[in-house]
Amino acid sequence: MNALGRILARRETGIAVMIVLFALAVSLYKPQFLTLNSLRVILLLTPLVMIAAMGQMLVLVARHVDLSIGSMLGLSAMLTGMMFRDLPEIPWGLGFAVSIGIGTLLGLVNGALVTFFRLPSIIVTLGTLNLYRGLTFIVSNARQVDRQFIPADLKGMSQTSPLLGIPWIIFMAFAVALLTYWFAMHTRVGRQIFALGSNPIAAPLRGVKVTQVTLLVFAISGALSGLAGIMYASRWGFVNPSNTGFGFEFQVIAAVVIGGVSINGGVGSVLGVMLGVLLMGCVAAALPLLGIPGTAQSAIYGAVILVALLIDRSVRRQGIARFKAARA
Amino acid sequence: MSAAETTPQRIAGRGAAPQRSLWHVILVRPETMTLVLLVLAVILASQLSPFFLDISYILRSFTLSAEFAIVALVLTMVIIAGEIDLSPAANMALSTCLFAWAQASGVPMPIAIAIGLVAGLAMGALNAFMVIGLQLPSIIVTIGTLTLYRGLAQIIAGDKSIRMPEWFIGIDKVLVFGVPATVAIFVVVSLVLGLILAGTIFGRQIYQIGTNEVAARYAGIRTRRIKLILFLLMGLAAAIAGMLTASRLGSVRYDLGLGGELQMVLMAMLGGTYIFGGRGTILGTFLAAWLLVVVSTGMTVANLLPAIQLTVLGVLLIVAIIATNLIYSRAQR
């Protein structure tokens, strides 16, 4: 197979083609979709999802799933926001450490329950999804942290830009993606996550420390949700106990699975997930242009998850067929 | 490495297991744990407020979660068969929104009800198609359909609420032999499903599938057909539960039953249904539903915020699966 063929056969190419086709189709109705301004809108929709998607990708690759990311985002954003409110003289940069730290802790709780008690991650994170959301209400007394309490510099990160008018948070999202790429592809532990996900029985026999790797992926997922939490405060300028991060998990899972991460573990790439996030951003940006009400978003996420499952299935069957043909 | 060392021992140990005494068999069961917890909860709650010793008060409180409890009974069977369905709460919302939308636009009530039921069945069929036909994991499929169904309900109903006609409202106030109708339905469904699961070939086959699906297929059990029936039953139960909710609330919004999947899974888990399939009883879920009602009513009486109750439910879910897993692993040794 030549180089071009190899590129075309890649999963990421398919998603890129989908993005292009979608953009072209929308621009047939609304030409203004293909402008720099709408690209800006799309990019502004993506950073939170992209950051959390990197964590979710690692969790899915390890053959688990984390439903609690929206609640981890909410709880860490709320605690950080309350810190800003109650201790106004604290340097705002510390908020990042606090938010990421809380997220890591919550993620570790998920990981510990999954790995020490051998529980299915779906049920554990369904439990902690509600547990963390409840805790968010409890610590905040069901009160919102209002705009005036979020430091101006933090809010500025979503508005000011180091270059080309692109805000800081988008650069941060891409930095997280790059780091994840390096971690997943070029470190020993990163490769072990893939080994664990492709064959959970063989991996420990090859010296993969299952407990530690499992704890690690959930901790990373939590840490990145925490980072997304403080960026939520930066992007929207408030933290609300019921809205912040609510339903976020479906958005992220939709982006991750359409980005080619297999639900059967062991398969996934950072580039694919980035493209998946971008595709979901395009869809979200196109809806108001096409006059589709925002209420349709949730249905679209659901449909995207199902379509992604179908694609994943046909890709896997092709792979099996090719494997059999090669052996015959 | 430890797996390789312990496996032969474990096999030998299992072969040499002595016959256990009857009291041991009865006591070391998750349902017993649920019953004990239920009694404890009632005692604690009656310290909190004397109302808890009044059966009609508990019955009235039960109407608030009877709809979820009905679905949880079917969910128990689905989990025993080794699958899971997280979409029924969203299914309740979508089928009821369709039903309400139909009757609000002038369709006669029987046809509107039929539309709702068919919609529920269709949603169950879609889940079944993805899980059985395409062999995709039910966990992720039903996360997808959960989002999809809820989203479609949101598109249909918008953020408005659809009123129900006066005569349709208040099934939870109707008394059957002194018991609210929804509770009576729950009890009847429990009896029927309990008998089916424990006493029929079909029921035993459900356990077989959950224990070892491949072996079940080789033993001549039509695993695909049975799972299809279970998913369809799930859709039907959700649609009925949705309409009961509509009758209780008097109006329908897209967020009907929001977050209900937690309560349903929690009822099944608290009742000792094994999350990996093959074990569990309707009796357990039946007891767990009452336990949950006593706990949440107790929390309401104690003036706890709804958010704290959410936290407690989350903790309960995790504790319940840990405890159930422990009991089953003890029983296996």
Side-chain angles (χ1 to χ4, degrees):
Chain A
M1 213 186 275
N2 56 17
L4 185 67
R6 268 205 299 280
I7 292 175
L8 284 182
R10 282 191 68 98
R11 188 72 185 273
E12 289 84 357
T13 319
I15 312 163
V17 169
M18 269 156 74
I19 295 177
V20 172
L21 286 180
F22 181 81
L24 285 177
V26 174
S27 65
L28 280 183
Y29 290 100
K30 297 279 171 185
Q32 65 264 42
F33 188 68
L34 289 183
T35 59
L36 214 60
N37 187 42
S38 81
L39 183 70
R40 213 184 112 81
V41 171
I42 294 170
L43 280 179
L44 265 177
L45 286 169
T46 52
L48 297 183
V49 179
M50 177 151 359
I51 289 174
M54 290 302 147
Q56 187 72 259
M57 176 190 103
L58 294 177
V59 174
L60 277 176
V61 164
R63 247 191 228 195
H64 288 288
V65 63
D66 190 346
L67 291 182
S68 68
I69 47 175
S71 300
M72 292 196 287
L73 186 159
L75 182 51
S76 49
M78 178 55 77
L79 285 169
T80 315
M82 286 168 61
M83 182 188 78
F84 287 140
R85 186 186 62 198
D86 300 337
L87 308 162
E89 60 276 4
I90 223 161
W92 65 277
L94 200 65
F96 280 91
V98 171
S99 193
I100 294 173
I102 294 165
T104 312
L105 203 68
L106 299 177
L108 273 175
V109 170
N110 284 339
L113 287 169
V114 168
T115 182
F116 293 131
F117 295 97
R118 294 172 193 279
L119 302 176
S121 50
I122 180 106
I123 302 292
V124 168
T125 53
L126 180 66
T128 53
L129 157 75
N130 293 278
L131 170 59
Y132 297 159
R133 179 63 60 188
L135 283 178
T136 311
F137 277 97
I138 293 174
V139 295
S140 66
N141 246 327
R143 275 191 328 201
Q144 173 170 323
V145 174
D146 289 320
R147 296 192 70 87
Q148 69 266 27
F149 298 117
I150 307 293
D153 287 335
L154 180 61
K155 282 186 279 193
M157 292 198 66
S158 306
Q159 286 135 19
T160 58
S161 129
L163 89 157
L164 291 177
I166 302 168
W168 274 104
I169 53 169
I170 293 175
F171 282 105
M172 287 181 57
F174 278 94
V176 168
L178 262 180
L179 261 176
T180 313
Y181 172 78
W182 168 78
F183 172 71
M185 306 305 282
H186 294 286
T187 65
R188 180 185 293 259
V189 187
R191 300 316 297 164
Q192 286 183 341
I193 298 174
F194 282 81
L196 176 63
S198 9
N199 194 335
I201 299 169
L205 301 177
R206 301 290 307 207
V208 174
K209 297 199 172 67
V210 179
T211 312
Q212 288 163 21
V213 172
T214 313
L215 277 176
L216 184 71
V217 289
F218 278 101
I220 292 176
S221 177
L224 292 179
S225 304
L227 179 59
I230 187 156
M231 286 168 75
Y232 183 100
S234 159
R235 174 78 177 77
W236 304 103
F238 66 90
V239 182
N240 182 293
S242 56
N243 291 342
T244 298
F246 188 81
F248 189 60
E249 54 277 1
F250 300 117
Q251 223 171 322
V252 171
I253 290 176
V256 170
V257 292
I258 198 72
V261 177
S262 170
I263 39 164
N264 293 298
V267 178
S269 77
V270 170
L271 182 62
V273 171
M274 286 171 73
L275 289 171
V277 173
L278 212 58
L279 178 60
M280 298 308 294
C282 283
V283 174
L287 288 182
L289 273 182
L290 297 174
I292 300 170
T295 48
Q297 281 218 15
S298 167
I300 290 174
Y301 294 138
V304 163
I305 294 178
L306 296 183
V307 169
L309 290 179
L310 294 181
I311 297 174
D312 186 48
R313 173 174 180 272
S314 66
V315 167
R316 200 169 62 240
R317 289 173 77 92
Q318 278 170 16
I320 293 171
R322 210 175 298 136
F323 181 68
K324 278 185 178 154
R327 277 210 309 193
Chain B
M1 56 168 188
S2 62
E5 286 165 15
T6 53
T7 311
Q9 283 175 359
R10 206 181 285 165
I11 291 169
R14 197 182 288 170
Q19 196 69 33
R20 283 191 301 265
S21 55
L22 186 64
W23 67 265
H24 192 247
V25 173
I26 294 174
L27 279 186
V28 187
R29 287 188 68 83
E31 292 88 354
T32 318
M33 167 189 88
T34 316
L35 186 64
V36 171
L37 284 177
L38 179 57
V39 172
L40 276 179
V42 170
I43 293 173
L44 273 177
S46 59
Q47 298 295 313
L48 213 60
S49 147
F51 283 123
F52 275 95
L53 296 176
D54 178 8
I55 186 75
S56 69
Y57 178 75
I58 294 187
L59 284 175
R60 251 179 293 140
S61 320
F62 197 92
T63 55
L64 298 179
S65 21
E67 299 96 5
F68 289 153
I70 293 170
V71 184
L73 294 170
V74 187
L75 182 64
T76 306
M77 295 167 78
V78 173
I79 297 178
I80 292 174
E83 300 289 347
I84 195 162
D85 190 347
L86 293 179
S87 70
N91 183 334
M92 279 167 70
L94 179 51
S95 54
T96 313
C97 276
L98 280 168
F99 150 74
W101 172 75
Q103 71 86 24
S105 50
V107 176
M109 190 53 105
I111 301 181
I113 290 179
I115 290 177
L117 295 181
V118 169
L121 276 175
M123 282 180 258
L126 176 62
N127 284 338
F129 170 70
M130 303 280 288
V131 173
I132 307 163
L134 303 181
Q135 306 211 321
L136 294 166
S138 52
I139 287 173
I140 307 275
V141 167
T142 54
I143 289 178
T145 52
L146 148 75
T147 324
L148 178 67
Y149 297 162
R150 179 74 64 189
L152 289 176
Q154 206 170 352
I155 293 177
I156 290 171
D159 43 15
K160 290 186 288 290
S161 60
I162 308 172
R163 285 288 297 171
M164 290 280 110
E166 273 318 311
W167 62 269
F168 187 80
I169 302 173
I171 192 165
D172 57 312
K173 302 281 194 314
V174 179
L175 295 183
V176 182
F177 301 117
V179 175
T182 41
V183 182
I185 295 175
F186 168 70
V187 173
V188 170
V189 173
S190 311
L191 276 175
V192 172
L193 291 183
L195 287 178
I196 290 178
L197 193 61
T200 66
I201 296 175
F202 177 77
R204 303 317 297 175
Q205 287 177 336
I206 293 176
Y207 283 101
Q208 272 284 315
I209 297 173
T211 312
N212 190 335
E213 189 175 349
V214 178
R217 207 177 302 136
Y218 282 125
I221 296 174
R222 298 173 190 272
T223 57
R224 294 156 65 94
R225 181 185 291 180
I226 289 176
K227 281 190 182 179
L228 173 67
I229 293 173
L230 288 179
F231 274 108
L232 289 178
L233 202 59
M234 198 76 206
L236 190 65
I240 294 171
M243 285 175 204
L244 292 177
T245 316
S247 167
R248 175 164 61 82
L249 298 175
S251 66
V252 176
R253 272 164 49 110
Y254 80 91
D255 60 356
L256 179 141
L258 189 68
E261 54 277 353
L262 171 76
Q263 288 207 29
M264 296 172 194
V265 173
L266 179 53
M267 284 177 193
M269 294 295 117
L270 267 180
T273 312
Y274 191 42
I275 186 64
F276 299 107
R279 291 145 181 266
T281 55
I282 294 290
L283 174 68
T285 306
F286 179 82
L287 291 173
W290 291 100
L291 172 60
L292 210 57
V293 166
V294 172
V295 169
S296 47
T297 318
M299 289 193 292
T300 313
V301 169
N303 264 334
L304 292 183
L305 281 173
I308 302 180
Q309 305 191 15
L310 203 61
T311 315
V312 173
L313 295 188
V315 172
L316 263 183
L317 175 60
I318 291 166
V319 172
I321 32 174
I322 293 177
T324 312
N325 283 6
L326 274 181
I327 290 176
Y328 282 132
S329 66
R330 181 75 36 93
Q332 240 164 25
R333 246 178 255 144

